[in-house]
Amino acid sequence: MKLEDLRKIRKKAEKELKLREGKARVKIVVGMGTSGIAAGAREVLKAFIDEIEKRNLQDVIVTQSGEKGLSSHEPIAEVWEEGKPVVVYGNLTPDIARRIVAEHIVNGNPVTEYVIEVKEA
Amino acid sequence: MPKRLDILVCSGAACISNDSTTIKNKLQAVLKEHNLEDEVAIVETGCMGPCELGPVMLVYPDGVFYIRLKEGDVEEIVKEHVIKGRPVKRLQWTAPEARKIVEEKKQIPFFEKQLKIVLSNCGKIDPENIEEYIAVGGYEALAKVLTEMTPEQVIDEMIKSGLRGRGGAGFPTGLKWKATREAPGDEKFVVCNGDEGDPGAFMDRAILEGDPHSVIEGMAIAAYAIGAKQGYVYVRAEYPLAIKRLEKAIQQARKYGLLGNNIFETSFSFDIEIRIGAGAFVCGEETALLASIEGKRGQPRPKPPFPAQKGLWGKPTLINNVETFANVRHIILNGSSWFASIGTENSKGTKVFALSGKVNNTGLVEVPMGVTIRELVFDIGGGIPNGKKFKAVQIGGPSGGCVPAEYLDTPIDYESLKKLGTIMGSGGVIVLDEDTCMVNLAKFFLDFTVDESCGQCVPCRIGLKHLYDILDRITKGKGKMEDLETLEKLGEEIKRTSLCGLGQSAPNPVLSTLRYFRDEYIEHIRDKKCRAGVCQFEEAKEEEVSLEEKLKGII
Ligand SMILES: Cc1cc2nc3c(=O)[nH]c(=O)nc-3n(C[C@H](O)[C@H](O)[C@H](O)COP(=O)(O)O)c2cc1C
Ligand code: SF4
Ligand code: FES
């Protein structure tokens, strides 16, 4: 093995360990209560994960929470960014989730038409 | 597809004996049932620390810590936590003092005061997967020394770091490496001491089980520094899981070209073999260990010559402890000044302790040198259970001694402990409460060392037995006041005249309890009283027996 080989293995394997660090620039929390799941939260969650993977975003983690008490807007997701207020999105679909990743997470422009609340972290 | 949850199931020896394998299998099955295999990773890790609470499980990224799991709990965790994102509160760790549900690993006091360097991968990566080790920077340190540093520079870095041997005596590691490098001879060896014979100690086992590659990497770096091609890890046969994981790690390292010929395409070649020990305490002593590797009886021999001059088959040999080797990669990667900034003036870095006895949180902990005994016992250990009073800690196993309550604020480092008449030892810490009889405790350790003495020299073979007999008399209410002086004199004499460290330290438990708990010895002798209620005095016992016999006669 050469040094470059080691680095290659490291790069690939690092990604898989990312989850266990618990530190990230952005955290996306998808509401996965019963009603959220009924409204399609699982597909939304998968779309988030997939889009993040596709774009190779190392510092974004996706996690989940229980009922958010906003069931008329399910599926719901919150975007937590260090030092910024939390942006809550509602009425999500997998496509919107992908847009949020592209526009909000990558380019820093929240997708305003789906923002249902902005709150302090 | 990347995973959205990592579920880390502890597969340390303690959790496995509590059936963590069943939990893992069940988890696999339930996840499959719900078609979640692609979304959730199950990772089997080494010991996470709080073994008493096992089997334990840690869920990332949220960091929820589950304890005392039963097979029946798994379904609920999957349905509630994995699917709905609601951690199952009743299975989460409740801090004993506050009884409040603690949701995140980092908020638990048990973890808060710890600094995990050596254990940073234990409980986090899969020890049977070399790629996970590489992901956390594994083998980078080896690559660095082979491609950027001369052996002298490596040794210099180790000297500057201030690392001292974690196997007991605390000898400066860099100086030992230097001496071995400078010893004449073209064939040299590196040996890792994984004997760990101290009762109550399991630090080295946990490292070998939880992060075996860190030991292999440390040994390879040492081999480069001193000029060795061959290494041996000596592990006791009672550690089958450690042996299995180490064996697997060695094979994987060979497969990836990290052991063997021309590592990283340099001229450096190195390989490692495992040697299994029979598990005698004295085989942990370095000269006995080397004899045992050579296939001879594991008996100590006089030093000098030290192994650095004449070790395996008469060749210069570097012997270090498991934890010592596990520190090496961190020093190389982060630099000696980083390492030297942790700890106290003369004791650098961290130390892994196996906390046991009368304390709420038992298990494996790693703290910076200089943490006080109070912090260890009360903050990390969570204090004494059942409202009992703290009495002392026994540190350093059979070679160590007791530290009583008035020294709770003593920082834990080599020098401070030595001043109190004990030693760091390999890191076994037994917490004692008011129900412990100190005379009986000393007797327990003496019983152990009498058994484990190799019998080669008279002071150790006969002297220790004599010490034991006196203690035995005292615990049976048959002691004399003169005994105390005899214990002290004889103890000092054995320490002075024994050939190896076993005899030289075996009287320590007696001498230190005599120093701090003399009252209890006197009470046993003069008042025939054991304030802890542990010792049964013979007069009383004889009466009972004879009463029974009388009754027998009547019936
Ligand atoms: C009776 C006896 C038992 C010992 N047992 C161990 C042991 O189990 N593990 C260990 O690393 N060192 C043990 N030692 C210390 C070793 O002789 C040696 O000092 C140590 O392995 C050196 O490594 P270090 O410099 O990294 O601490 C023991 C010493 C004596 C006298
Ligand atoms: S001190 Fe004890 S264990 Fe050590 S060599 Fe002598 S008899 Fe053997
Ligand atoms: S073995 Fe599982 S916590 Fe120690």
Side-chain angles (χ1 to χ4, degrees):
Chain A
M1 139 151 16
K2 287 194 220 126
L3 195 53
E4 303 91 81
D5 301 333
L6 185 77
R7 300 267 152 86
K8 258 185 235 152
I9 299 176
R10 178 170 176 183
K11 256 206 141 99
K12 183 182 135 253
E14 245 174 4
K15 251 195 251 164
E16 281 161 24
L17 279 189
K18 203 84 212 164
L19 266 189
R20 286 174 232 168
E21 275 173 15
K23 61 165 184 246
R25 182 176 63 89
V26 185
K27 195 166 136 185
I28 302 174
V29 185
V30 182
M32 293 276 274
T34 316
S35 60
I37 292 175
R42 284 177 61 78
E43 279 59 45
V44 169
L45 179 86
K46 281 191 196 166
F48 271 123
I49 291 172
D50 187 54
E51 194 61 28
I52 285 159
E53 166 70 5
K54 266 197 202 137
R55 292 169 179 272
N56 198 15
L57 302 178
Q58 299 275 342
D59 50 1
V60 181
I61 61 172
V62 181
T63 160
Q64 52 189 331
S65 69
E67 217 76 47
K68 285 262 176 256
L70 293 161
S71 48
S72 59
H73 293 293
E74 300 276 12
I76 282 172
E78 298 173 348
V79 176
W80 293 65
E81 246 176 303
E82 243 177 61
K84 291 191 188 165
V86 181
V87 178
V88 186
Y89 287 102
N91 308 310
L92 295 176
T93 64
D95 283 342
I96 303 167
R98 288 179 200 278
R99 262 184 71 196
I100 291 173
V101 174
E103 295 174 26
H104 183 163
I105 314 281
V106 177
N107 293 325
N109 304 316
V111 186
T112 39
E113 64 256 52
Y114 296 99
V115 175
I116 54 172
E117 194 186 347
V118 176
K119 57 181 190 185
E120 284 313 305
Chain B
M1 168 127 183
K3 313 285 183 197
R4 67 179 168 87
L5 284 181
D6 272 2
I7 302 187
L8 278 55
V9 184
C10 181
S11 304
C15 284
I16 285 190
S17 69
N18 273 323
D19 253 357
S20 65
T21 319
T22 315
I23 304 286
K24 187 211 77 191
N25 292 340
K26 178 78 180 174
L27 186 62
Q28 234 159 11
V30 179
L31 287 176
K32 191 156 181 226
E33 225 173 86
H34 293 273
N35 279 321
L36 289 165
E37 305 138 279
D38 294 342
E39 290 177 39
V40 182
I42 301 177
V43 183
E44 288 182 80
T45 73
C47 172
M48 295 183 182
C51 311
E52 198 80 346
L53 306 175
V56 300
M57 191 164 107
L58 183 53
V59 184
Y60 279 115
D62 25 6
V64 171
F65 203 102
Y66 289 121
I67 58 169
R68 296 208 175 96
L69 294 172
K70 303 254 175 332
E71 197 180 348
D73 299 329
V74 175
E75 184 96 34
E76 187 178 348
I77 290 176
V78 172
K79 282 198 172 141
E80 284 295 303
H81 189 166
V82 178
I83 299 183
K84 295 185 190 154
R86 290 195 288 241
V88 183
K89 300 239 173 208
R90 83 183 161 84
L91 300 170
Q92 276 177 263
W93 191 354
T94 316
E97 66 289 7
R99 295 270 153 233
K100 71 168 197 272
I101 308 281
V102 268
E103 289 205 302
E104 288 200 23
K105 190 176 166 183
K106 57 180 182 299
Q107 295 173 341
I108 300 169
F110 180 78
F111 292 107
E112 214 168 37
K113 288 225 165 160
Q114 295 195 50
L115 175 63
K116 296 205 171 187
I117 296 173
V118 169
L119 295 181
S120 56
N121 291 337
C122 275
K124 184 171 162 201
I125 63 165
D126 176 354
E128 300 196 10
N129 182 344
I130 190 172
E131 298 208 347
E132 293 209 351
Y133 179 70
I134 292 174
V136 291
Y139 292 106
E140 285 278 332
L142 179 61
K144 183 173 172 188
V145 304
L146 294 185
T147 57
E148 294 170 23
M149 294 169 85
T150 64
E152 288 80 5
Q153 283 171 328
V154 176
I155 289 175
D156 202 41
E157 197 62 5
M158 293 304 290
I159 293 176
K160 281 199 216 134
S161 75
L163 174 67
R164 296 169 66 172
R166 301 298 193 236
F171 189 83
T173 305
L175 293 182
K176 202 190 266 188
W177 290 23
K178 188 169 187 219
T180 322
R181 171 158 190 89
E182 286 170 357
D186 40 14
E187 199 182 11
K188 293 177 185 176
F189 297 101
V190 171
V191 173
C192 173
N193 189 341
D195 189 61
E196 196 163 65
D198 295 34
F202 53 89
M203 298 75 52
D204 294 345
R205 184 187 76 194
I207 295 169
L208 289 170
E209 285 174 1
D211 196 16
H213 287 287
S214 69
V215 180
I216 297 174
E217 189 175 1
M219 287 177 74
I221 292 169
Y224 172 71
I226 66 153
K229 279 196 171 67
Q230 182 63 46
Y232 297 93
V233 187
Y234 189 88
V235 194
R236 51 177 45 223
E238 287 93 329
Y239 286 179
L241 186 64
I243 294 169
K244 182 188 136 212
R245 297 236 170 103
L246 185 63
E247 185 72 59
K248 197 154 180 181
I250 291 173
Q251 279 169 11
Q252 284 180 353
R254 279 191 197 131
K255 204 178 115 206
Y256 279 67
L258 297 162
L259 284 176
N261 288 329
N262 305 105
I263 300 171
F264 288 115
E265 305 191 319
T266 65
S267 59
F268 176 66
S269 302
F270 178 65
D271 211 337
I272 294 176
E273 281 177 40
I274 299 177
R275 286 289 180 272
I276 296 170
F281 179 58
V282 77
C283 284
E285 196 279 334
E286 52 193 14
T287 58
L289 186 147
L290 296 176
S292 172
I293 293 182
E294 289 173 9
K296 300 187 195 123
R297 236 182 101 174
Q299 268 195 340
R301 61 155 176 82
K303 293 186 284 194
F306 290 94
Q309 274 83 44
K310 271 187 189 315
L312 275 182
W313 298 289
K315 316 275 168 128
T317 300
L318 172 75
I319 176 162
N320 275 133
N321 164 263
V322 169
E323 189 183 332
T324 311
F325 280 125
N327 268 294
V328 173
R329 62 174 284 241
H330 299 284
I331 294 172
I332 298 293
L333 283 183
N334 301 317
S336 55
S337 43
W338 162 80
F339 190 81
S341 72
I342 302 162
T344 65
E345 166 132 38
N346 294 310
S347 303
K348 300 301 186 186
T350 58
K351 179 76 194 86
V352 181
F353 290 104
L355 199 57
S356 65
K358 302 293 175 54
V359 62
N360 277 313
N361 306 328
T362 63
L364 201 63
V365 303
E366 180 174 358
V367 290
M369 296 272 189
V371 152
T372 64
I373 298 172
R374 187 189 301 280
E375 288 173 294
L376 186 64
V377 174
F378 289 92
D379 298 342
I380 297 170
I384 317 299
N386 309 321
K388 297 273 181 174
K389 240 174 78 189
F390 171 83
K391 189 167 193 175
V393 284
Q394 207 281 345
I395 302 188
S399 315
C402 292
V403 182
E406 65 248 51
Y407 295 102
L408 264 174
D409 291 309
T410 306
I412 302 179
D413 63 44
Y414 292 100
E415 274 68 32
S416 313
L417 291 180
K418 200 165 166 190
K419 263 189 230 143
L420 295 180
T422 179
I423 57 163
M424 180 87 68
S426 56
V429 174
I430 306 170
V431 181
L432 311 170
D433 70 4
E434 56 195 295
D435 293 341
T436 315
C437 166
M438 301 312 270
V439 185
N440 192 58
L441 181 83
K443 188 174 114 174
F444 166 81
F445 281 111
L446 251 290
D447 189 23
F448 178 82
T449 37
V450 165
D451 258 10
E452 297 286 335
S453 164
C454 83
Q456 218 182 149
C457 38
V458 176
C460 174
R461 185 182 67 230
I462 299 175
L464 289 181
K465 178 76 175 81
H466 200 60
L467 279 187
Y468 175 85
D469 287 342
I470 298 175
L471 289 173
D472 190 49
R473 272 212 319 268
I474 297 178
T475 57
K476 288 179 175 147
K478 292 180 172 172
K480 301 188 284 281
M481 276 319 212
E482 311 87 86
D483 285 343
L484 299 186
E485 208 182 316
T486 315
L487 285 175
E488 264 159 344
K489 269 200 178 148
L490 186 59
E492 292 297 344
E493 191 67 14
I494 297 170
K495 282 179 74 159
R496 215 170 43 78
T497 53
S498 289
L499 188 153
C500 87
L502 191 150
Q504 287 159 9
S505 64
N508 287 349
V510 189
L511 296 175
S512 92
T513 46
L514 264 171
R515 177 165 162 190
Y516 297 117
F517 299 95
R518 210 181 183 84
D519 293 4
E520 286 189 36
Y521 280 85
I522 294 173
E523 278 170 16
H524 277 74
I525 296 170
R526 195 186 52 204
D527 311 333
K528 315 248 176 294
K529 179 178 153 226
C530 174
R531 63 169 89 164
V534 173
C535 300
Q536 302 289 317
F537 296 112
E538 239 155 44
E539 276 105 341
K541 237 163 117 197
E542 268 167 16
E543 248 179 37
E544 269 172 44
V545 170
S546 57
L547 194 72
E548 257 179 28
E549 268 171 6
K550 273 184 210 153
L551 280 171
K552 246 190 224 158
I554 294 167
I555 297 165

